[in-house]
Amino acid sequence: MFKRRKPRSYGQMASDMFYPRGGWRRAGTYVLHRLRRLPDQPHRIGRGVAAGVFVSFTPLFGLHFASAAAGAWLIGGNILASLLATFVGNPLTFPFIAVLSVSLGRQILGLGGHLSPQLIFGEFAQASVELWHNIRSVFGPEEAHWQNLGNFLYQVYWPYVVGGVIIGLAVSIVAHYLTIPVIRAYHRRREKKMAARIARVRASSIVQVTSVVESSAKGGAAPRPADSPGDIEMKKKGPQ
């Protein structure tokens, strides 16, 4: 019933990951709209957002959703808010996140040097291929090679973890304290609209009751619903 008439191809799905059909601005507006409408307390939504933002700065590619949900659960945050907040990490922001995190991590670890986004993600891709090769070698005649993976962990992955945790922690704290007043303001505005709607309904009900009472006081009959076709037929036949 709710399925697409024409299912999207894998190419369209991949394209939407890098550039949504409505554009990144529309996608970001949708995420903010969904966050404001979450039926939960502002501080829990803020914690969920903090968890999602923090995870976006870690190199746990492919595990961001699961990590964000686990983090939100641990700190008592809203899990759905944490999943929505992982939108902070997207194809437009990942190059900047990667460069900042790896550069800071290498400086802290005393490695020095600057790595470009192409080199960082190229190393991730190569490490994924080699890891899969080594897993297959356990069940086949191929020989495993761990030296390149060890170099990747030391030069790229571990600096990414160190730098990403520091930057992610700072950004997530800011996101938490910015989210709470926004959610509170939205909840107050929604409560005011709901109160105004209830007041209008009550006023309308009072007017209707007043009109009925006034007509009764003047000797008029209170309005009654129109007779159904069955009632009309019974009146024509008369009492049996």
Side-chain angles (χ1 to χ4, degrees), residues 228-240:
S228 65
D231 295 335
I232 296 173
E233 186 66 27
M234 289 294 293
K235 288 180 180 180
K236 289 181 179 179
K237 292 182 179 179
Q240 299 295 331

Side-chain angles (χ1 to χ4, degrees), residues 15-27 87:
S15 176
D16 289 346
M17 290 179 61
F18 290 94
Y19 189 82
R21 285 180 295 175
W24 285 108
R25 182 177 180 180
R26 182 177 178 182
F87 176 79

Side-chain angles (χ1 to χ4, degrees), residues 102-103 105-115 155:
V102 174
S103 298
R106 290 178 66 86
Q107 289 182 4
I108 293 175
L109 296 175
L111 298 176
H114 176 76
L115 302 182
Q155 295 291 337

Side-chain angles (χ1 to χ4, degrees), residues 10-211:
Y10 290 108
Q12 290 174 329
M13 293 181 184
S15 176
D16 289 346
M17 290 179 61
F18 290 94
Y19 189 82
R21 285 180 295 175
W24 285 108
R25 182 177 180 180
R26 182 177 178 182
T29 303
Y30 172 77
V31 170
L32 292 176
H33 177 71
R34 292 293 300 171
L35 281 173
R36 290 198 303 262
R37 293 180 62 88
L38 287 175
D40 205 345
Q41 299 176 3
H43 71 275
R44 282 179 49 82
I45 296 176
R47 292 176 186 175
V49 170
V53 171
F54 174 78
V55 168
S56 298
F57 283 82
T58 64
L60 301 174
F61 299 114
L63 298 174
H64 279 176
F65 270 13
S67 302
W73 179 76
L74 286 174
I75 63 177
N78 185 282
I79 293 179
L80 183 55
S82 71
L83 300 182
L84 291 171
T86 57
F87 176 79
V88 170
N90 58 71
L92 293 181
T93 60
F94 274 139
F96 300 99
I97 292 174
V99 170
L100 290 175
S101 299
V102 174
S103 298
L104 178 61
R106 290 178 66 86
Q107 289 182 4
I108 293 175
L109 296 175
L111 298 176
H114 176 76
L115 302 182
S116 65
Q118 295 84 355
L119 179 59
I120 293 173
F121 291 113
E123 290 292 331
F124 269 94
Q126 183 64 28
S128 300
V129 172
E130 292 187 1
L131 180 61
W132 178 242
H133 168 81
N134 291 346
I135 292 175
R136 288 189 304 170
S137 67
V138 177
F139 305 97
E142 299 175 346
E143 184 179 354
H145 302 283
W146 296 101
Q147 182 177 358
N148 292 334
L149 281 174
N151 186 59
F152 162 76
L153 291 174
Y154 180 72
Q155 295 291 337
V156 179
Y157 194 84
W158 182 235
Y160 199 142
V161 171
V162 174
V165 166
I166 295 174
I167 299 176
L169 185 60
V171 176
S172 63
I173 292 174
V174 173
H176 173 264
Y177 285 105
L178 289 178
T179 300
I180 291 178
V182 172
I183 301 300
R184 282 177 177 167
Y186 177 79
H187 285 182
R188 291 194 195 101
R189 187 166 62 250
R190 187 173 62 178
E191 289 172 359
K192 289 181 180 179
K193 289 182 179 180
M194 184 64 67
R197 186 179 304 171
I198 293 173
R200 288 196 300 268
V201 172
R202 288 178 176 175
S204 177
S205 300
I206 292 173
V207 170
Q208 291 179 0
V209 171
T210 303
S211 64

